[in-house]
Amino acid sequence: MRTRLSRFALTAFGLSLSALATGGVNAAEMMDHSMHQTPSNSSSQPPASQDTSSSSARDAGGQMDHSAMGHGAMDHSKMNHGQMDATDHAARKHDETLEMPGMMHPSFIPILTDADREAAFQPLQGHTVHDKYLASFFLLDQFEYQDADEGSTLSWDASGWIGGDIDRFWFRSEGERTNGVTEDAELQLLYGHAIGPWWDVVAGVRQDFKPESPQTWAAFGVQGMALYAFEAEATAFIGEGGQTAARLEGDYDILLTNRLILQPTAELNFYGKNDPQRGIGSGLANAEVGLRLRYEIVREFAPYVGVTWNRSFGNTADMARDEGEDREEARLVAGIRMWF
């Protein structure tokens, strides 16, 4: 009897050790599977009955039977996979929006339309804002001393206007005096009408006081700015006795510094027929080019130095040679330029 009790005690002790060993393995493996989960509240924990049933999920070889465990019944919805899937779906949708053809901005930035631009920037209605305002401008472009072959020469070239943005009254004047005697002098009075932001058409009269006897011309032409700040004038004239003429002028300001400016100029004069009384022949009568370097002490006032070259052509050159005059001449010049 004592021997039977001892055998029963040994058998019970062995079963207890086996149970402890089995419980330890189940605890380690359950800890390993818990790494797949994220923390959640107490309501998301599985029932206690699932933990106890895992101890019987082993086969004879001591290996864990995953089919008998809670993997089949594991509720993955309790994890954060749903939240992660929603985030990934939003990111993929954002990327697809950026990759759609014609889309240059994220979907949360609206694309500007013509209506939006018109609402932000009202279109200007021509010159209606300043059309009634009366303004004026005067430019003494050249007022200079020239070292000519005949002696010292005083030359001038001035222009100005008064009016509004569309309609203006213009005047132009140029000439020269040599040794105190006026050699050439003229005055033009013109009406100008804007045909664009940079161009005007002009029409009026031109009066020549010299050379020889005075002469009156009807004048019409265009003036404005072309080719990046190139000032240009093209004027045609019809004079007394059916005489015709045309003049092309241009100048351009080259900014060497903010105040030091180099200005090339050019002028061409054409006539329709010979006028021996004034020493003018038909065709291209004469041309003058110049190069002046000025320094703007203030914007309205600038002294300058430079050089000019003029030449007679065709019948005008023949008449000058007959009078003992030079066909061409170069002059050093020094003067001032001002405007207000």
Side-chain angles (χ1 to χ4, degrees):
M1 184 68 181
R2 185 177 298 173
T3 301
R4 290 179 180 178
L5 289 175
S6 298
R7 290 178 179 176
F8 180 78
L10 290 174
T11 302
F13 181 74
L15 291 174
S16 299
L17 290 177
S18 176
L20 287 175
T22 303
V25 172
N26 286 338
E29 292 184 357
M30 291 302 293
M31 288 179 64
D32 181 58
H33 283 285
S34 67
M35 297 299 293
H36 295 286
Q37 300 184 12
T38 56
S40 59
N41 54 29
S42 57
S43 62
S44 63
Q45 298 296 329
S49 61
Q50 294 182 6
D51 294 336
T52 55
S53 64
S54 63
S55 61
S56 62
R58 291 184 169 273
D59 55 8
Q63 299 296 326
M64 180 175 290
D65 185 4
H66 291 276
S67 62
M69 285 188 61
H71 277 287
M74 183 177 291
D75 188 2
H76 289 275
S77 64
K78 302 301 183 179
M79 302 182 181
N80 288 333
H81 291 296
Q83 181 179 358
M84 293 174 65
D85 290 342
T87 304
D88 293 342
H89 178 70
R92 286 196 299 271
K93 184 177 181 181
H94 179 71
D95 293 341
E96 292 173 358
T97 302
L98 292 178
E99 294 175 0
M100 289 179 62
M103 296 290 292
M104 298 302 293
H105 301 281
S107 59
F108 55 83
I109 299 179
I111 299 176
L112 291 178
T113 63
D114 293 337
D116 296 331
R117 295 186 183 92
E118 291 181 2
F121 303 99
Q122 298 282 336
L124 298 178
Q125 302 297 324
H127 295 267
T128 56
V129 177
H130 304 289
D131 192 28
K132 304 297 183 181
Y133 181 73
L134 186 66
S136 62
F137 177 76
F138 173 79
L139 171 64
L140 184 58
D141 193 31
Q142 299 172 15
F143 188 71
E144 62 192 25
Y145 163 82
Q146 299 181 353
D147 183 18
D149 294 340
E150 295 84 4
S152 60
T153 298
L154 178 66
S155 175
W156 73 88
D157 187 351
S159 63
W161 58 266
I162 182 171
D165 289 346
I166 300 296
D167 301 303
R168 296 173 178 175
F169 290 99
W170 289 81
F171 83 90
R172 302 171 183 168
S173 177
E174 63 179 62
E176 61 181 38
R177 291 172 57 88
T178 302
N179 297 326
V181 178
T182 301
E183 299 288 342
D184 295 288
E186 71 174 54
L187 175 65
Q188 300 180 35
L189 298 177
L190 308 167
Y191 165 75
H193 180 77
I195 57 174
W198 310 108
W199 290 95
D200 294 348
V201 293
V202 295
V205 296
R206 162 186 163 185
Q207 180 67 42
D208 289 351
F209 300 99
K210 292 287 184 176
E212 300 302 330
S213 61
Q215 184 176 16
T216 304
W217 307 75
F220 58 93
V222 295
Q223 63 182 16
M225 185 179 297
L227 300 176
Y228 304 100
F230 178 78
E231 298 281 352
E233 295 178 4
T235 313
F237 306 97
I238 301 176
E240 299 170 335
Q243 178 68 284
T244 59
R247 177 179 296 166
L248 303 177
E249 295 183 78
D251 62 72
Y252 183 75
D253 286 348
I254 303 172
L255 275 68
L256 303 180
T257 68
N258 194 30
R259 295 185 180 274
L260 190 63
I261 300 170
L262 184 66
Q263 182 190 55
T265 62
E267 179 181 323
L268 302 174
N269 287 284
F270 302 85
Y271 290 88
K273 63 181 183 180
N274 294 330
D275 188 353
Q277 184 179 359
R278 294 178 174 83
I280 296 171
S282 61
L284 176 59
N286 55 66
E288 179 179 309
V289 296
L291 192 64
R292 294 170 174 85
L293 180 66
R294 71 176 184 265
Y295 181 80
E296 294 184 343
I297 300 174
V298 292
R299 297 305 179 192
E300 297 83 0
F301 182 83
Y304 65 85
V305 295
V307 61
T308 63
W309 176 82
N310 60 74
R311 177 185 170 87
S312 300
F313 300 91
N315 294 333
T316 304
D318 295 337
M319 294 179 186
R321 185 171 53 250
D322 295 340
E323 295 292 331
E325 299 176 358
D326 295 332
R327 298 178 58 185
E328 61 181 308
E329 182 181 5
R331 300 178 180 181
L332 297 176
V333 304
I336 59 172
R337 180 182 188 268
M338 64 176 65
W339 60 270
F340 54 85

